[in-house]
Amino acid sequence: MVLVNDTMMEHPIHLHGMWMELENGGGPNQPRLHTVLVKPSERLTVAITADEPGRWAMHCHLLLHMEMGMFRVVEVA
């Protein structure tokens, strides 16, 4: 998944129920995270192990941002 921040603010993006591996060129030593900080004008690529069926929340961890619409549901079938 590619996360693109087109704003001037940092966004800590949180995915429930699954790990995200930050693809940073570290080979097998990529960081495994539930929350990834996407800085202003930054583009990050994360690998997701989608092995838990169900509906999972993915959102900005800043409450105001989440309330303003930075909230999605990721469904794993």
Side-chain angles (χ1 to χ4, degrees):
M1 178 178 291
V2 178
L3 303 173
V4 179
N5 183 353
D6 288 331
T7 73
M8 297 301 291
M9 301 179 72
E10 293 183 343
H11 296 289
I13 303 298
H14 178 70
L15 176 61
H16 290 249
M18 290 171 269
W19 290 101
M20 292 185 283
E21 291 186 21
L22 183 59
E23 293 188 341
N24 63 357
N29 300 318
Q30 297 177 130
R32 289 185 79 197
L33 307 164
H34 282 291
T35 304
V36 177
L37 182 63
V38 187
K39 296 178 183 172
S41 301
E42 186 174 50
R43 177 186 206 97
L44 291 179
T45 303
V46 294
I48 299 171
T49 303
D51 57 358
E52 291 295 331
R55 295 169 49 92
W56 300 97
M58 184 173 191
H59 59 88
C60 182
H61 238 264
L62 300 174
L63 185 58
L64 175 62
H65 294 179
M66 187 172 66
E67 290 174 346
M68 296 292 290
M70 289 188 77
F71 181 95
R72 294 291 180 262
V73 174
V74 175
E75 186 166 358
V76 178

